[in-house]
Amino acid sequence: MLDETTFQTSGNRIQIYDFVTSGGATTKHVDDLIGPELNSNSPLHTPEYTWPFVNGPHQWCPGEHKFFGWLAQDANMTASNTPETFFGSGFDFDEATHVLTIPQVTFTKDTPQFDFMYSDIFTTEPINTPVQLKFSHLFCAVSFGIVNDASSDVHISNFKVTLYTNKKATVDYSGSTVAVNYTNTASSPATFRTSSGGTLSGMSGGVSDMWVNAFAPTDTERQYILMWPQTKTELSACKINITYTLNNQGYNQSLAFPEMELNAGQKYHFDIFIADKAPIRINYLVVDWDSIDNEVTFE
C-alpha cells in the first residue's frame, strides 16, 4: 500500500498532463513524468519537496493551465508496477475527452497490490511557485479476523468472504473537478477469499483468543488487501460464511455485512466474534488510508 513515505520512494513516477486554454482553444502543453529523485537546476527545486520532470524543464506559456495526473510506476513493486501492466491494454487516456479509462480488474488474494492513485485538478495562470497536486486512492482495502469469546475451543473448518470483485472505472478530467465513476461488471458477488481455518482456544482468564488474519492464523498483523469500493446496495448482497464446531455442535453461519459502504481511500477491518450463547456478531473498524495527505509538488 502507498503512504506518504513510500510515495516518496526513488523510482516512483507520476504521469503529468498540462492542457492550456488560450484564445478559446485548448492544446496539450505537457505530457511528461515526474519523480522524487531527479535532479533539477530550477531555483524552485527543493529535494524531498518538489519533483522535477523526467524530460523537463517545461516553460510556462500564456493562458490557463490545467494540470492533473496519476501514478505511472510504483517503485515498491517488482512486477505489475505500472498501470499498463496491472490493468492491461485497456488502460487508456483520451486526450480529446480528457477521460482516463480503467479496464476491468478482478481482485483476489493473489492480485498484485498495485495501489493506483489519481490526482485532483490544479488550474492556474502562469505562476512563480511550484504546482501542487493532491492524490487519491482508486481502491479501498479490507481485512478480516476471528475472535473466540467462548469458554471452549472453536474449530474453524471454513471461512469465506464474498464481494463484488469485478469492476471497471473512469477518471474524468474534462470538468473543473475530477469525477470518478465505477461500473460493476458482475451480476452477483464472487468469492474473494476462503480458508480451511484451524482451532481457536477458548477464552481463558477473561482473555479472548483471536486471529488477526482470519486466513492465516499464525499472522501477528492484519492483512489488508485491495478491493473495489462497494456501495451499500452491493455490500448488502455480500456475505461472510463461517463453518465451525463449538462444544461438539456444528454450525454453518452466513453473516450479512453491516449496513454500510466501502469507500475508496479507506481501510476496513472486520472481526467476527464467536460466543457460547450469543449469536455471532461482526465488529468493524474504519480507518483513513494514511495519517497525512498524499500530495506531490512539482516544478
Side-chain angles (χ1 to χ4, degrees):
M1 309 302 177
L2 289 179
D3 56 25
E4 183 70 10
T5 301
T6 57
F7 207 49
Q8 296 284 352
T9 299
S10 174
N12 275 340
R13 292 291 182 266
I14 303 294
Q15 170 68 53
I16 296 294
Y17 278 97
D18 171 26
F19 286 86
V20 180
T21 300
S22 179
T26 299
T27 57
K28 183 175 69 173
H29 182 56
V30 173
D31 176 359
D32 204 347
L33 301 172
I34 60 173
E37 85 289 0
L38 300 172
N39 294 321
S40 172
N41 295 320
S42 169
L44 300 178
H45 179 61
T46 54
E48 301 301 320
Y49 178 65
T50 54
W51 291 19
F53 284 103
V54 171
N55 300 305
H58 299 282
Q59 303 300 318
W60 289 103
C61 64
E64 183 178 72
H65 292 252
K66 181 179 181 179
F67 293 93
F68 53 85
W70 50 83
L71 180 65
Q73 179 175 312
D74 184 356
N76 298 285
M77 302 175 66
T78 57
S80 298
N81 66 343
T82 68
E84 290 79 9
T85 55
F86 177 73
F87 292 111
S89 60
F91 181 86
D92 180 68
F93 176 64
D94 189 320
E95 295 184 0
T97 63
H98 294 188
V99 174
L100 177 66
T101 298
I102 310 293
Q104 176 181 307
V105 170
T106 301
F107 277 110
T108 71
K109 67 180 181 65
D110 299 316
T111 303
Q113 297 296 282
F114 184 74
D115 179 19
F116 184 73
M117 303 186 75
Y118 61 93
S119 80
D120 61 355
I121 295 173
F122 187 93
T123 303
T124 182
E125 299 286 334
I127 53 177
N128 195 34
T129 56
V131 172
Q132 293 185 331
L133 290 176
K134 182 176 180 180
F135 283 76
S136 299
H137 299 269
L138 183 68
F139 307 123
C140 65
V142 292
S143 170
F144 298 87
I146 304 176
V147 180
N148 182 14
D149 271 347
S151 57
S152 302
D153 291 358
V154 171
H155 177 71
I156 312 295
S157 58
N158 185 261
F159 185 80
K160 183 176 74 171
V161 176
T162 63
L163 289 165
Y164 280 97
T165 58
N166 296 282
K167 290 190 178 184
K168 59 183 180 180
T170 58
V171 183
D172 189 343
Y173 288 105
S174 62
S176 58
T177 59
V178 61
V180 180
N181 296 291
Y182 299 91
T183 300
N184 188 357
T185 57
S187 58
S188 61
T191 298
F192 173 51
R193 295 199 68 179
T194 184
S195 171
S196 58
T199 299
L200 274 163
S201 299
M203 180 183 287
S204 176
V207 179
S208 302
D209 188 22
M210 67 181 300
W211 295 338
V212 293
N213 178 6
F215 303 99
T218 60
D219 281 4
T220 57
E221 296 182 354
R222 297 168 181 166
Q223 185 187 30
Y224 287 98
I225 295 183
L226 293 176
M227 174 50 57
W228 287 104
Q230 311 275 305
T231 67
K232 185 180 295 186
T233 299
E234 289 170 344
L235 198 59
S236 67
C238 302
K239 300 294 180 184
I240 299 173
N241 297 93
I242 181 170
T243 304
Y244 65 97
T245 302
L246 173 64
N247 295 325
N248 297 317
Q249 176 68 45
Y251 300 89
N252 187 0
Q253 302 276 334
S254 180
L255 309 173
F257 276 87
E259 188 175 341
M260 59 184 296
E261 55 191 18
L262 305 184
N263 294 312
Q266 290 187 309
K267 299 190 295 186
Y268 299 83
H269 178 76
F270 297 89
D271 275 325
I272 288 76
F273 285 77
I274 300 173
D276 286 317
K277 295 182 179 180
I280 287 181
R281 72 180 193 273
I282 300 176
N283 284 8
Y284 68 94
L285 174 69
V286 184
V287 295
D288 288 334
W289 204 297
D290 310 315
S291 59
I292 52 180
D293 290 337
N294 283 301
E295 294 187 2
V296 170
T297 304
F298 63 95
E299 29 175 335

